[in-house]
Amino acid sequence: MKRIRIGVIGAGGIAQVEHIPNLRRLSEQFEIAGVCDPSASTRQFISHRYGLQTFETIDQLLGQKLDAILVASPDALHKEHALAGFAHGLHVFCEKPLCYAPADIAELIAARDAAGKVLQVGYMKRFDPSYEAALELMPGTKATLRHVSVEVNDPDAWPFIRHHDWQASKDVPDALIADVRTKQKAQVKKAVGIDLNDVTFRGYTGAYCSAIVHDVNAVHGLLKKLGVPDGEISGAQLYAGGDGGHGSVKLLGGQALWTMTHLTVPKLPHYRERITLYFDDASLELEFPSPYLNHQPTQLTIRTGDGHQLHTRDIRKGYEEAFIEELKGFWSAIVEGKPVRNTAEHAHRDMNLLANLTRWNASHPTARLQSGESF
């Protein structure tokens, strides 16, 4: 079995809680050649905890013998780090969002094709066993679809990572933080095309791009299975200081509606994430646990009607961990030439919708729940 020598760029929470332990678990497929992070305390922790070689800069990491990189750096650095990987002839796994701006994703697609390498986006839900089962067991058709509902409330990660062995960094240089912030503002402006007030900016980068983007990607996969094309935006709200994001999309000329809501409830240690498809005589529901609760199965429920009788099926396909399965998929795409499940083209479609929802909200001032100062 061929082992992939991989370098990890960014050693924040997602890398420490998921990617680094999972790569080590998949030791027959991957060898971690090094981890890059600007935080000295984080590098020291990673070196002590895992015995891995660490580097302060990406150039130092890319100077090692590598086959691939895993990009888990701040969102505004994804594009430049992925491009650096392709320039060095490496395959790239990149956390979501791939880029804020669809135009930047198009550049990555061109660079991927020119390099002839794999680019996979970190949408782990596509590898969830219950999601895979949902695609196989769809209880309705395009002709009978009525509504798609996405509902998420999330306190952020804190209640679900306490038991993990990880360490938050507190010594990233101020100049680097300021540089990332400047790049983020420029990329968001490129994505949306207009100036955003502070609520809308926080909502786009947070509730939309950092959170509900997972559900947008998952729903796009379900709609593709049904043969439902992109719809027409009918509303959008970014609210609660940017902690809340809502959107609605008319599907099939108004035959069906897709609504989505994500709200961070920072002091409530409770997580719920639910995607429901309603058809004329049936529904399909996926209820996800917090992604950090590994091997907790997503609940898949299918309900059908027969006159006054309700038939409910709870399906459990397996206990495979989606974060691990996506890395296996990355390995298979590189070594075995299998199709990439989470492509940059998928990410382009997702980010185009989220950018358009944000633009709709910003362009309808009477529809906004809150306003703020422009950047």
Side-chain angles (χ1 to χ4, degrees):
M1 178 178 290
K2 177 178 172 57
R3 294 180 81 201
I4 297 297
R5 283 182 56 84
I6 191 167
V8 178
I9 301 176
I14 188 65
Q16 292 185 43
V17 173
E18 293 293 348
H19 293 314
I20 292 173
N22 292 337
L23 287 168
R24 286 171 58 86
R25 177 172 177 167
L26 298 172
S27 59
E28 292 188 1
Q29 291 99 334
F30 293 98
E31 176 186 354
I32 303 177
V35 178
C36 166
D37 196 275
S39 164
S41 62
T42 295
R43 294 196 304 273
Q44 183 179 18
F45 174 81
I46 294 294
S47 178
H48 175 76
R49 174 67 177 82
Y50 296 106
L52 296 172
Q53 191 172 10
T54 61
F55 304 93
E56 182 178 1
T57 69
I58 183 175
D59 289 337
Q60 292 170 339
L61 176 63
L62 294 177
Q64 308 304 302
K65 183 180 179 182
L66 300 173
D67 302 304
I69 56 172
L70 188 153
V71 179
S73 50
D75 299 347
L77 301 180
H78 287 179
K79 177 186 174 183
E80 63 185 79
H81 290 164
L83 287 175
F86 292 137
H88 282 75
L90 306 176
H91 303 284
V92 176
F93 179 103
C94 185
E95 261 301 330
K96 58 77 196 168
L98 181 55
C99 297
Y100 288 120
D104 286 339
I105 296 176
E107 289 186 41
L108 288 183
I109 291 171
R112 175 202 65 188
D113 293 346
K117 298 298 178 180
V118 168
L119 172 57
Q120 181 175 319
V121 186
Y123 290 130
M124 77 288 186
K125 284 181 169 54
R126 293 272 186 137
F127 290 86
D128 185 308
S130 294
Y131 181 84
E132 294 174 333
L135 294 175
E136 299 168 3
L137 301 172
M138 196 73 69
T141 66
K142 172 182 176 180
T144 62
L145 181 66
R146 286 178 172 267
H147 186 66
V148 180
S149 172
V150 173
E151 308 164 76
V152 188
N153 64 269
D154 180 7
D156 209 349
W158 61 269
F160 314 114
I161 61 176
R162 181 176 62 177
H163 58 288
H164 287 281
D165 189 9
W166 77 290
Q167 177 178 293
S169 63
K170 299 179 181 179
D171 56 352
V172 176
D174 290 341
L176 180 56
I177 294 174
D179 180 60
V180 171
R181 182 68 168 168
T182 298
K183 290 176 178 176
Q184 182 187 46
K185 291 179 181 179
Q187 291 170 20
V188 170
K189 177 66 179 290
K190 183 177 182 179
V192 182
I194 55 178
D195 291 323
L196 302 179
N197 63 49
D198 55 355
V199 170
T200 308
F201 183 91
R202 288 192 67 243
Y204 180 67
T205 58
Y208 277 177
C209 296
S210 184
I212 209 169
V213 63
H214 271 301
D215 304 280
V216 167
N217 178 262
V219 169
H220 274 151
L222 295 168
L223 294 179
K224 181 179 179 180
K225 178 68 175 182
L226 290 168
V228 176
D230 291 347
E232 176 187 350
I233 291 173
S234 57
Q237 293 286 350
L238 292 161
Y239 61 98
D243 284 342
H246 173 80
S248 60
V249 180
K250 289 195 299 183
L251 301 172
L252 302 169
Q255 171 190 309
L257 184 69
W258 171 12
T259 58
M260 62 193 88
T261 301
H262 183 283
L263 178 64
T264 298
V265 188
K267 297 181 180 180
L268 178 68
H270 175 257
Y271 183 95
R272 173 173 288 176
E273 180 176 13
R274 184 164 51 195
I275 297 174
T276 311
L277 278 66
Y278 295 95
F279 301 90
D280 284 347
D281 59 355
S283 68
L284 179 150
E285 181 177 281
L286 286 160
E287 185 162 353
F288 299 89
S290 165
Y292 294 104
L293 299 178
N294 294 340
H295 303 289
Q296 289 281 333
T298 295
Q299 183 173 335
L300 171 60
T301 304
I302 295 176
R303 298 180 176 91
T304 55
D306 180 14
H308 289 283
Q309 295 186 36
L310 172 67
H311 303 277
T312 301
R313 297 173 60 198
D314 290 324
I315 296 100
R316 182 169 297 156
K317 184 178 178 182
Y319 290 87
E320 291 84 0
E321 171 52 46
F323 274 116
I324 294 174
E325 296 305 309
E326 68 176 351
L327 293 176
K328 290 181 181 179
F330 184 51
W331 181 89
S332 294
I334 295 170
V335 176
E336 301 174 337
K338 291 187 177 180
V340 177
R341 188 173 299 189
N342 295 333
T343 67
E345 286 81 0
H346 292 158
H348 187 279
R349 184 186 186 190
D350 303 333
M351 297 310 297
N352 188 59
L353 174 58
L354 293 175
N356 285 335
L357 284 169
T358 306
R359 193 177 300 112
W360 191 99
N361 175 254
S363 301
H364 292 74
T366 59
R368 292 203 299 265
L369 295 176
Q370 278 183 269
S371 62
E373 297 300 321
S374 296
F375 282 97

